[in-house]
Amino acid sequence: MATATARLAPDAKGLRRAAELLAGGACVAFPTETVYGLGAAADDPDAVAAIYAAKDRPARNPLIVHVADAAAAAALTRWTELAGRLAERFWPGPLTLVLPRLPTAPLAPAVSAGQSSVAVRVPANPVAQALLRAVGRPLAAPSANPSGRVSPTSADHVLDGLDGRIAAVLDGGATSVGLESTILDLCDGPRVLRHGGVTVEALAEVLGAQPLAPPRDRRGALTAPGLLPSHYAPRAALRLDAETADPGEVLLGFGPVAAAANLSPQGDLEEAARNLFALLRALDGQGVARIAVSPIPETGLGLAINDRLRRAAAPRP
Ligand code: TXA
Ligand code: MG
């Protein structure tokens, strides 16, 4: 029988326990500013295998390696001048950089899932920072949810999906950004593979040009690893760009509309990003079967919000 997952306070004792568990090869969930990550020592093949097992994650979907600072990221990758400028501007923070992986990098091969690149990120959340420094090695960490489900923005969300399947969760409260990091591929492009917490407008300021859009095949499907059309799926069915709810639907609003739940009554995209996953879970928890969602503008964080909504609304396999 699986043992229950420990909930650890983000104090010195909790951090010490989390670091011990990680050093022993266990999986521990921890808060980042985006969503909770399911961490394991990135240089330990068995620990990395345990992440894939706990999440039921397809073996072809690579993991983001979390490190304490840009120097640690540069030690794992073929670092570039542009990577340095992006790190200077956005790290610590919700940007993931995909770079060629150094053959000598002490990382379990499964971290890259067959790619010659590796994704690296320096999280800003102080609990994540303290944990990385206590462990003293890179942590591989996907979002701490069963594969294909809504990402967790609180320790309760982590336990909803993974209780009994992981050793512990460090409880750092609700996350501040609320959706995942932006993934920028510097091997090709620079190209955005996934919209997220850093906007393309902000990236363009550093790049001096718009980044390329996520790669798609001829039928328009996203082709980056892990970007399955159906993802972030609540149990409820979603209908997007809805001005009002039809009979049998509950309206998830944005802006000043009469709605059962509202992402941001003020129409603020940062607030909407922070609330998105928690509200989808709450509506699921109420047994809502059909959610209609107000239109969200396609600018700033709206690109990431709309990406998650479209994938939540996509037909399920
Ligand atoms: O905000 C985040 O990015 C959160 C927190 C925990 O850091 N993590 C996260 O991880 O969202 P995950 O595994 O749920 O999503 C990571 C995405 C996947 O779509 C994966 O395919 C992609 O990053 N990825 C990882 N390594 C890659 C690589 N070498 N090349 C291309 N895509 C990569
Ligand atoms: Mg995920």
Side-chain angles (χ1 to χ4, degrees):
M1 213 194 83
T3 43
T5 298
R7 186 195 292 260
L8 303 174
D11 54 13
K13 184 170 166 233
L15 284 162
R16 209 173 325 116
R17 179 69 187 134
E20 259 167 35
L21 287 165
L22 289 163
C27 295
V28 175
F30 64 95
T32 81
E33 68 281 20
T34 59
V35 300
Y36 275 67
L38 179 55
D43 55 358
D44 177 340
D46 294 333
V48 171
I51 293 180
Y52 283 90
K55 280 184 60 102
D56 238 335
R57 183 178 178 97
R60 294 181 47 198
N61 193 359
L63 305 176
I64 297 174
V65 174
H66 296 65
V67 289
D69 53 36
L76 302 173
T77 57
R78 214 175 289 291
W79 194 248
T80 64
E81 184 269 336
L82 177 58
R85 281 193 287 127
L86 290 161
E88 179 75 23
R89 169 78 165 77
F90 297 110
W91 281 355
L95 177 67
T96 294
L97 297 177
V98 174
L99 287 154
R101 170 177 162 144
L102 284 182
T104 52
L107 295 172
V111 161
S112 292
Q115 312 279 323
S116 56
S117 59
V118 64
V120 285
R121 158 161 134 76
V122 176
N125 180 292
V127 178
Q129 275 286 334
L131 182 65
L132 285 164
R133 290 180 195 280
V135 179
R137 44 214 267 220
L139 293 177
S143 53
N145 51 282
S147 192
R149 310 304 304 184
V150 178
S151 294
T153 57
S154 72
D156 285 342
H157 295 168
V158 173
L159 292 171
D160 274 350
L162 297 175
D163 194 12
R165 299 181 67 99
I166 61 175
V169 54
L170 262 173
D171 187 349
T175 63
S176 59
V177 176
L179 45 70
E180 298 87 342
S181 61
T182 298
I183 303 179
L184 187 68
D185 190 350
L186 295 182
C187 308
D188 162 36
R191 184 186 288 282
V192 172
L193 299 183
R194 176 181 74 187
H195 291 293
V198 169
T199 64
V200 290
E201 293 89 338
L203 287 174
E205 282 174 24
V206 174
L207 299 173
Q210 289 293 315
L212 300 177
R216 292 175 185 275
D217 66 16
R218 274 184 304 175
R219 284 148 64 205
L222 294 165
T223 56
L227 297 193
L228 306 175
S230 167
H231 203 128
Y232 306 99
R235 273 178 286 273
L238 266 74
R239 183 169 68 87
L240 307 185
D241 291 321
E243 297 294 347
T244 56
D246 288 343
E249 288 180 340
V250 161
L251 185 65
L252 177 56
F254 177 79
V257 291
N262 203 312
L263 291 164
S264 169
Q266 264 72 254
D268 177 73
L269 289 168
E270 284 184 22
E271 181 181 28
R274 198 153 50 235
N275 288 333
L276 175 66
F277 291 150
L279 285 176
L280 289 176
R281 281 173 185 267
L283 292 171
D284 252 2
Q286 292 162 24
V288 168
R290 313 182 70 80
I291 305 172
V293 189
S294 292
I296 315 282
E298 282 281 356
T299 68
L301 285 177
L303 269 64
I305 296 170
N306 282 318
D307 166 74
R308 304 305 186 274
L309 284 170
R310 276 194 287 271
R311 287 199 266 156
R316 316 283 157 81

